[in-house]
Amino acid sequence: MVVEYYAFLSNGLTSALELNASIDWFPCPRFDSPSVFTKILDEDNGGYYQIKPVYECKIKVSYLGNSTALQTIFSSDKGVLKLIDFLPLGLPAIIRLFESEIPFVVDIKPVFNYGLINPAVEVVDKGLIFKNPTSKEGLELSINGKYTLENSSKIIVEPGKGYLFLLYTRDLRYGLFSQRAIVYPDPYESLKYFLLFWEDNVKDVKPVSEEFRDAYMRSLITILALMYRPSGGIIASPTTSLPEIIGSDRNWDYRYVWVRDVTYAIEALIKANLITQAKHALDFLFSVVDPSSKPFDHPLYPVDGTEPIAEEEIEWLDGYKNSKPVRIGNSAYLQLQMDTEGSFMNCIYEYFLATNDAEYIIQNWWVIEAIVDWVKKSWRNKSTSLWEERGIEEHFVHTKLMNWVAMDRTSKLAFKLGYKELSQECKGIAEEIRQDILINGYSNEMNSFTSYYGSKDVDASLLTLPLYDFIDAKDQRFLSTLKRIENELQVSFGLLLRYKRDFLGKTQHPFLLCSSWLARVYIRLGEFNKARKIIKKMIDCSTNLMLFGEHLDSETLEHRGNFPHIFPHTGLVISIIELEKSLQEKKSR
């Protein structure tokens, strides 16, 4: 069963979510700004921008090639409406090109500041202006085609060819209908350059087999579409407060750059041979490092790398399917997460292995020295885990693993670049951390590694132990851990809960990143058929446009949590590349 869900549109500045030609989410002017269409979080009052034929039609949606431009085709016995929607490069705008044999209705109801402020509407020649009465900002809709204005929010467009150009501006004195209008693009030219941009973005991508190609490419495009191009920061997701569980309060704002999430994305881009894009994202991470304290002061940053904003609840929105509260900002920025430096060092090492770019690494060596200084004095401390349970700090095994990764990768990198003394020092610290994990992170009573020192539970992050080469996947201590994870966390083959319960209670839905971890473990065990089945299952569980949310309802195949989410897309890319590489090596032998 293929589940139809929102399409994701992006231009590297901001994004939109669209379903059946209705744009129900659009923050302006960037990913983490207040939204002007917010229907996804409030059906009645959120605001939307919908196109709908006057006749009943069948609907078919698809992306235009390897881009985030969406084509929607409405077909009926009365005729066909073809619609192409995209966010033009360099502008907080939506362009909708149409070619229609039938009349259709444009229903546009923006509401500023997450559905709080209704606009004043001005009718102008060939368009509408929606003004925020509390500021100079607004939305301008330019209409090219023959139309009738039914009221200030409803337009009847007659058959023909044309476009709708919606632009957000912070100051309407410089908008589409101002003296400055000449600077704004021709929509058809804009589409041409938009498609060229995406074609150039993925022209050097590492090829994979036809079996996985479509899902692989869509995942890579989604990763790139989550990048804020001016800075290189890659957000975890373009949405806020889409619930992990319907009706619960597990609703978070993910429109920020998580250090850990970005490192997964960078690794996927490197393995897929998209080196330039990976380096742009690395540049962002280098730019936010504080060498005088913990290198990454926060687990997450806004897209411009500045200080994170405080978490707040928006009380006037009902939430997705009445799942309250709706939040903006994320209090996880207050957490002490000790694994981020390890994730980053692994990325730097992967980048060097792929490029041999010693100059880039040496230019940023001060960052590596700062990471070494921090990890060697702090790795024995408790911290929050990668799962970000609020108010809980422990000696998490995954966190200790990433401390080991930080020292291990630094040691190897320092050796290759001639820093022999530092290499030896880091190698010694890495071994000290390794022994600490083996002694305190493994329970003889439970016959497995555990979530944290002294715990009896397992969580899915333990699957990463062999993925970072900390332990051989065939080591009996890991195999017994794997067996527990399969028995206790696997909902159905290849779909895993990340853990059984947390500070908010029992978990319900599989966490899709964990599926890719499990596939990669099977690859290391030589169980290629199992790995392939998991990868295919992930693809089968994706939406009609091959997108993933953070979680999956394994019964309905509906995606839960913020959408789309970077984790499963990065995991799928890495899994496919590793599987095909291993199969090729096996064939060569």
Side-chain angles (χ1 to χ4, degrees):
M1 179 179 71
V2 176
V3 173
E4 292 188 5
Y5 199 52
Y6 280 96
F8 169 50
L9 283 63
S10 170
N11 62 358
L13 295 178
T14 186
S15 63
L17 291 191
E18 177 176 341
L19 180 63
N20 294 332
S22 178
I23 294 170
D24 295 348
W25 175 252
F26 184 46
C28 292
R30 64 186 204 185
F31 290 116
D32 55 356
S33 299
S35 54
V36 294
F37 300 126
T38 318
K39 183 180 177 183
I40 196 169
L41 295 176
D42 193 308
E43 283 276 340
D44 297 325
N45 304 308
Y48 57 90
Y49 178 19
Q50 184 179 40
I51 287 177
K52 192 174 183 179
V54 297
Y55 307 116
E56 283 293 320
C57 292
K58 293 180 179 179
I59 304 176
K60 182 180 179 181
V61 296
S62 60
Y63 284 112
L64 287 183
N66 292 320
S67 80
T68 58
L70 186 74
Q71 178 175 264
T72 304
I73 298 176
F74 294 91
S75 57
S76 72
D77 55 5
K78 304 284 187 182
V80 173
L81 162 61
K82 293 181 180 179
L83 183 66
I84 294 174
D85 295 338
F86 66 103
L87 277 55
L89 299 175
L91 291 173
I94 301 170
I95 292 177
R96 314 188 80 169
L97 308 178
F98 63 83
E99 191 170 344
S100 186
E101 299 169 343
I102 53 178
F104 59 92
V105 177
V106 178
D107 197 356
I108 179 167
K109 295 180 180 177
V111 190
F112 294 99
N113 193 17
Y114 300 107
L116 180 63
I117 301 169
N118 285 309
V121 185
E122 180 183 350
V123 178
V124 295
D125 183 36
K126 296 184 179 179
L128 297 169
I129 301 176
F130 302 91
K131 302 177 180 180
N132 184 339
T134 68
S135 71
K136 291 183 172 64
E137 73 173 344
L139 289 165
E140 297 171 298
L141 179 65
S142 174
I143 309 168
N144 178 268
K146 196 171 182 181
Y147 69 93
T148 304
L149 192 65
E150 189 166 299
N151 56 46
S152 60
S153 67
K154 185 172 285 189
I155 304 154
I156 310 298
V157 181
E158 296 184 18
K161 182 179 179 180
Y163 61 78
L164 302 159
F165 188 164
L166 182 76
L167 175 71
Y168 167 86
T169 178
R170 281 182 167 150
D171 192 328
L172 286 166
R173 291 174 297 178
Y174 306 101
L176 279 178
F177 300 111
S178 71
Q179 293 178 342
R180 214 171 154 271
I182 193 172
V183 306
Y184 294 110
D186 172 82
Y188 297 101
E189 283 286 298
S190 189
L191 177 63
K192 181 182 79 171
Y193 284 110
F194 186 82
L195 296 177
L196 281 173
F197 164 80
W198 278 107
E199 184 181 316
D200 287 344
N201 235 327
V202 296
K203 67 181 180 182
D204 296 323
V205 71
K206 181 184 180 69
V208 298
S209 65
E210 187 176 352
E211 179 181 19
F212 301 130
R213 188 177 302 142
D214 289 346
Y216 170 78
M217 291 302 299
R218 183 48 51 190
S219 283
L220 283 170
I221 289 158
T222 302
I223 293 167
L224 294 173
L226 290 169
M227 177 186 285
Y228 183 68
R229 292 194 300 116
S231 69
I234 302 177
I235 59 173
S237 178
T239 59
T240 180
S241 302
L242 297 185
E244 296 175 12
I245 301 171
I246 298 297
S248 79
D249 58 355
R250 294 175 179 266
N251 317 318
W252 320 108
D253 191 348
Y254 280 3
R255 298 172 296 156
Y256 304 101
V257 183
W258 263 260
V259 175
R260 180 190 312 108
D261 300 33
V262 176
T263 63
Y264 291 0
I266 292 170
E267 184 178 357
L269 294 174
I270 290 170
K271 290 182 184 298
N273 196 42
L274 298 178
I275 305 299
T276 301
Q277 296 89 330
K279 188 176 181 181
H280 193 28
L282 267 177
D283 285 339
F284 176 89
L285 294 183
F286 276 119
S287 76
V288 298
V289 165
D290 177 359
S292 63
S293 61
K294 186 178 186 298
F296 293 107
D297 292 341
H298 308 290
L300 61 110
Y301 296 85
V303 293
D304 58 4
T306 55
E307 193 79 5
I309 65 169
E311 183 177 299
E312 298 178 16
E313 295 183 4
I314 298 181
E315 298 177 354
W316 58 85
L317 291 177
D318 288 340
Y320 180 84
K321 296 188 177 180
N322 294 310
S323 300
K324 286 191 173 187
V326 172
R327 294 180 170 98
I328 56 170
N330 197 305
S331 287
Y333 84 89
L334 297 170
Q335 293 183 355
L336 180 65
Q337 295 183 16
M338 305 283 276
D339 65 310
T340 52
E341 287 74 21
S343 296
F344 181 56
M345 277 310 307
N346 185 65
C347 257
I348 296 173
Y349 186 65
E350 291 286 343
Y351 173 81
F352 180 75
L353 291 181
T355 65
N356 204 33
D357 188 355
E359 182 181 354
Y360 181 70
I361 304 299
I362 292 170
Q363 177 187 340
N364 291 288
W365 196 255
W366 61 274
V367 173
I368 294 171
E369 289 181 334
I371 288 173
V372 170
D373 288 343
W374 169 258
V375 174
K376 71 182 181 183
K377 70 183 180 184
S378 67
W379 72 265
R380 293 180 180 84
N381 299 339
K382 292 182 177 181
S383 88
T384 312
S385 77
L386 85 162
W387 304 127
E388 298 184 342
E389 291 191 68
R390 300 190 174 192
I392 297 176
E393 292 188 355
E394 291 288 354
H395 294 289
F396 288 101
V397 169
H398 178 268
T399 303
K400 302 295 184 188
L401 165 68
M402 299 316 295
N403 293 157
W404 174 84
V405 168
M407 292 294 100
D408 176 76
R409 297 329 188 241
T410 302
S411 174
K412 291 174 178 174
L413 197 56
F415 182 82
K416 290 177 181 292
L417 295 177
Y419 299 91
K420 301 295 174 63
E421 189 176 329
L422 180 63
S423 176
Q424 282 301 114
E425 180 188 10
C426 291
K427 186 176 181 180
I429 298 170
E431 183 56 28
E432 190 178 352
I433 299 172
R434 174 182 168 80
Q435 291 304 318
D436 190 71
I437 295 172
L438 293 176
I439 293 168
N440 299 303
Y442 185 84
S443 168
N444 290 314
E445 178 189 353
M446 304 307 297
N447 193 31
S448 74
F449 288 97
T450 57
S451 295
Y452 56 87
Y453 293 1
S455 172
K456 293 184 178 181
D457 297 326
V458 290
D459 74 85
S461 70
L462 297 172
L463 292 170
T464 64
L465 287 163
L467 304 186
Y468 289 108
D469 299 321
F470 176 85
I471 195 170
D472 192 289
K474 296 179 181 177
D475 187 295
Q476 190 54 50
R477 289 167 294 187
F478 178 73
L479 287 174
S480 58
T481 306
L482 173 61
K483 186 175 182 180
R484 279 195 68 189
I485 290 171
E486 290 171 327
N487 290 340
E488 298 177 26
L489 300 180
Q490 193 161 227
V491 175
S492 62
F493 179 74
L495 296 178
L496 304 175
L497 303 174
R498 50 183 166 170
Y499 43 68
K500 286 185 177 178
R501 60 185 305 110
D502 60 17
F503 72 111
L504 288 174
K506 189 177 179 182
T507 56
Q508 288 187 17
H509 301 313
F511 195 82
L512 286 168
L513 173 64
C514 303
S515 297
S516 66
W517 285 344
L518 185 59
R520 295 173 65 196
V521 166
Y522 286 144
I523 291 167
R524 284 155 178 76
L525 291 172
E527 298 188 41
F528 301 128
N529 286 335
K530 280 187 177 181
R532 173 180 267 113
K533 284 180 181 178
I534 292 176
I535 292 170
K536 291 183 75 172
K537 186 163 190 175
M538 283 186 71
I539 294 170
D540 289 343
C541 289
S542 67
T543 69
N544 57 314
L545 291 170
M546 292 190 166
L547 299 175
F548 297 99
E550 187 179 26
H551 301 259
L552 179 77
D553 186 320
S554 56
E555 293 183 2
T556 66
L557 296 189
E558 293 176 295
H559 289 254
R560 298 291 179 230
N562 285 306
F563 180 90
H565 197 283
I566 199 168
F567 271 161
H569 290 286
T570 59
L572 183 70
V573 167
I574 295 171
S575 299
I576 290 170
I577 291 172
E578 288 189 352
L579 175 62
E580 299 209 337
K581 180 182 177 182
S582 296
L583 289 171
Q584 187 60 42
E585 288 172 351
K586 180 184 177 184
K587 186 178 179 181
S588 298
R589 290 195 299 270

